[in-house]
Amino acid sequence: MDLQHVRDHLQHAYNELLCSIWDCKRMDHLSFIVNQIYALNDVYVVAVYQWHGTYYKRLLLHQLKNSTYATPEKMTIEEQKLYERTNEKGYPIQITEDYLLLITTRKPMQASIRSFIRSEVINMLDVMQGQMNERTQYQFLYHLTVTLFVQKQKSTIVEIILHAFKHFYPTNKIQLLLSQDTEIDVDYPIEPIEYNDKQSVSLSTKAFISGEVQVEKQLETVSSIFLPLTGNQGVCGVIQLFGKGGHNFSNQDILFVTNVAKTAGKAIENASLMEHNKRLISELKLINDVTHHLNSNLDLKDIAEYIRDTILEICEAQEIGFIFYTETGEMTILQASTDYFHGSDSFTTFLMEQEMRATFHGNYNAFPDLPYRSLICIPLQQGVKVYGMVVLMHSSSYFFSFEMFKFMQSLIQHCSLAFFNTILKEELQKAVITDDLTKLYSRNYLEGKISQQRQITRNGSLILFDIDDFKKVNDTYGHHIGDNVLKQVAKIIRQFSNHHAIPARWGGEELAIYTPDKEINEAVVLAEEICNYVENNTDPPVTLSCGVSTWKNNCNDSISELFVRADRALYKAKHRGKNSVVRG
């Protein structure tokens, strides 16, 4: 065993102890010290004794397995001196008044090595008991810095600091105060830093605002120290150390805890930046994944449902609405929107009447009786043209963070082009199958859909409408008014058509609805309702004649025969006196 080896080994052990003091109990520290000495060359017994008034009592023992050497469980001062004289390879080393270290070696141990072991063990015990001199404090700060700056979680950093303070100042109360925009999840009571007028003069607030340590004194004794957790870009909180419990803070203490708080503040800021960067990378990856998915030739329904599900997973909104303007300026709500938007036309109309810009509300109350307080509105636009809006809502106030609002803006802006291109594509497709004047489906489209429906449904009914005396309307009011009447009737037919029905322009002033899975009696009732509504809600007022026919899949029936029967029934209605419904 040589001195240099002992020096290197124990100084490394001392540094390791400095890094772990906040996590271990007293006996753990003693055990650590014993293990480190036992690991030295030629050592095969290490024991620690503590003074009990008239004798030393053994606390810890570490010796070679199957060793026949017996160390005493108790040792008086006389026995200690006798041990020193009679055992040339057993060395009782007086560490402090309270602690005695007994080391037994295979070979004699030099006095210089025993002296160095004693000094290093004293240093370790000082650290263990929270009694550090200026040199030890700077060593501790070095290792604390190394430890904190490899942490990725802010909560871990705060827990390490709190444990360290508790270790060095075990009788002092500690209070953690955080700013309202700082989120750190630790199992420790946290108080918010107040900013109102009453609190503006408090030392905790001053420490937070100025970033400088504040000391509160009573009768020339430090009663509290307010330590700001300061980074390069601001202060995230304050740690308050109360000077009660028998410990008075010296100037050296104040300097030490100030340096600890500064180290912690920079480490927390560093972890926050890492979290922020990690979140940005995650958000960019998500936006990239969403963009790739939206480029896979989806229809508008699939795109809206995919974006809805993605948003629900990210921000846990309770309601999501997709609101669009049609070419004619009408407002439409996509089917992918959640339930509230399908039952509240007044609210969506109110929203679309506001200035179309991105807005973020934590306590929204502009619309009466709205059960939601947190609201994000993000316009959908192509160039300078706004063609719709995405709305997110939650019943809790301040549920969405501002960072989430900014991310939703970015995500929806990237989706906006996919929305716009899909809408444009579907409008072009619709233009091919839609009558330009009435916006009803074309006759060719209707015939094709009836052919498809006959393969998958049990039955269906075709309703043909003809506007009575339409030539007279054109002759009396002009063709412009005649076109307007056609539009009015077409709009009413669309209103009475559920999402399964197919409204179409049959030709001229003749219009039609095909209703899958409806018996002829149900279709007749629907036709009568439409006829009554048209008679009372058109300007100038017009009436309809109507023919209804049906088919069943257990009959050998053709599409052309379905059309012929409906046309014959319409002819009968015309010659029966008009404004009537006839089944064929």
Side-chain angles (χ1 to χ4, degrees), residues 148-149 151 154 157 262-272:
L148 293 185
F149 275 84
Q151 303 301 324
K154 294 179 290 186
I157 295 170
K262 285 181 178 179
T263 302
K266 288 181 171 58
I268 290 171
E269 184 175 79
N270 185 57
S272 297

Side-chain angles (χ1 to χ4, degrees), residues 198-405:
K198 182 179 178 181
Q199 294 290 335
S200 61
V201 294
S202 71
L203 291 178
S204 61
T205 304
K206 286 183 178 179
F208 178 77
I209 294 173
S210 67
E212 298 178 356
V213 175
Q214 302 294 318
V215 176
E216 186 176 44
K217 292 186 176 182
Q218 291 181 359
L219 301 176
E220 300 303 317
T221 301
V222 175
S223 60
S224 285
I225 307 175
F226 298 88
L227 304 163
L229 298 170
T230 308
N232 293 322
Q233 300 181 24
V235 181
C236 65
V238 174
I239 292 179
Q240 181 181 1
L241 280 176
F242 293 87
K244 298 178 181 179
H247 186 97
N248 294 323
F249 295 105
S250 66
N251 290 334
Q252 184 63 34
D253 285 327
I254 295 174
L255 178 61
F256 172 63
V257 296
T258 298
N259 287 329
V260 170
K262 285 181 178 179
T263 302
K266 288 181 171 58
I268 290 171
E269 184 175 79
N270 185 57
S272 297
L273 290 173
M274 290 175 64
E275 288 179 5
H276 180 68
N277 290 338
K278 185 178 179 180
R279 185 171 65 249
L280 285 179
I281 292 170
S282 176
E283 289 175 353
L284 288 173
K285 183 179 183 302
L286 177 61
I287 289 173
N288 185 58
D289 292 343
V290 169
T291 303
H292 277 296
H293 190 82
L294 296 182
N295 288 333
S296 58
N297 200 30
L298 300 174
D299 60 23
L300 187 59
K301 176 178 176 291
D302 290 337
I303 286 177
E305 288 178 350
Y306 174 74
I307 294 174
R308 177 200 64 199
D309 295 342
T310 301
I311 291 174
L312 284 172
E313 183 177 349
I314 295 170
C315 70
E316 299 178 351
Q318 290 177 334
E319 300 288 350
I320 301 178
F322 298 93
I323 311 168
F324 288 86
Y325 284 128
T326 63
E327 264 190 341
T328 58
E330 296 178 355
M331 184 182 70
T332 183
I333 310 243
L334 292 192
Q335 195 65 33
S337 302
T338 51
D339 293 343
Y340 184 82
F341 289 93
H342 292 295
S344 182
D345 291 342
S346 57
F347 175 62
T348 50
T349 302
F350 173 80
L351 280 181
M352 298 299 274
E353 289 174 349
Q354 310 305 305
E355 182 181 356
M356 297 293 281
R357 59 186 179 86
T359 54
F360 171 63
H361 302 277
N363 191 23
Y364 189 74
N365 54 15
F367 188 79
D369 300 324
L370 181 71
Y372 301 97
R373 286 292 166 263
S374 294
L375 184 140
I376 291 176
C377 298
I378 301 173
L380 292 163
Q381 59 187 85
Q382 184 62 26
V384 296
K385 180 184 178 182
V386 176
Y387 62 88
M389 178 180 286
V390 178
V391 183
L392 318 178
M393 299 192 297
H394 197 280
S395 58
S396 300
S397 299
Y398 306 103
F399 182 81
F400 305 120
S401 66
F402 186 74
E403 287 77 12
M404 181 57 67
F405 166 60

Side-chain angles (χ1 to χ4, degrees), residues 34 43 84 100 102 132 134 215 228 239 261 320 329 372 384 396-397 401-402 426 444 455 490-491 522 531 535 545:
V34 168
V43 174
E84 290 174 348
L100 178 71
L102 176 61
M132 297 202 296
E134 186 174 351
V215 176
I239 292 179
I320 301 178
Y372 301 97
V384 296
S396 300
S397 299
S401 66
F402 186 74
E426 292 194 0
N444 286 338
Q455 306 301 317
K491 183 177 180 180
E522 298 175 285
C531 290
E535 183 178 8
S545 293

Side-chain angles (χ1 to χ4, degrees), residues 455-525:
Q455 306 301 317
I456 59 176
T457 56
R458 297 173 302 167
N459 54 26
S461 297
L462 176 65
I463 308 171
L464 289 184
F465 300 96
D466 184 87
I467 301 175
D468 296 328
D469 302 318
F470 187 67
K471 183 176 182 304
K472 186 176 180 181
V473 172
N474 283 329
D475 292 343
T476 304
Y477 301 102
H479 287 279
H480 174 71
I481 298 299
D483 288 347
N484 195 301
V485 167
L486 264 174
K487 291 178 184 179
Q488 292 179 55
V489 175
K491 183 177 180 180
I492 292 169
I493 289 176
R494 285 200 305 273
Q495 289 174 354
F496 278 83
S497 301
N498 61 32
H499 63 281
H500 294 300
I502 306 165
R505 187 176 184 183
W506 192 253
E509 67 271 23
E510 291 183 348
L511 311 174
I513 300 178
Y514 178 73
T515 57
D517 280 330
K518 271 194 186 298
E519 299 280 357
I520 192 166
N521 290 337
E522 298 175 285
V524 168
V525 170

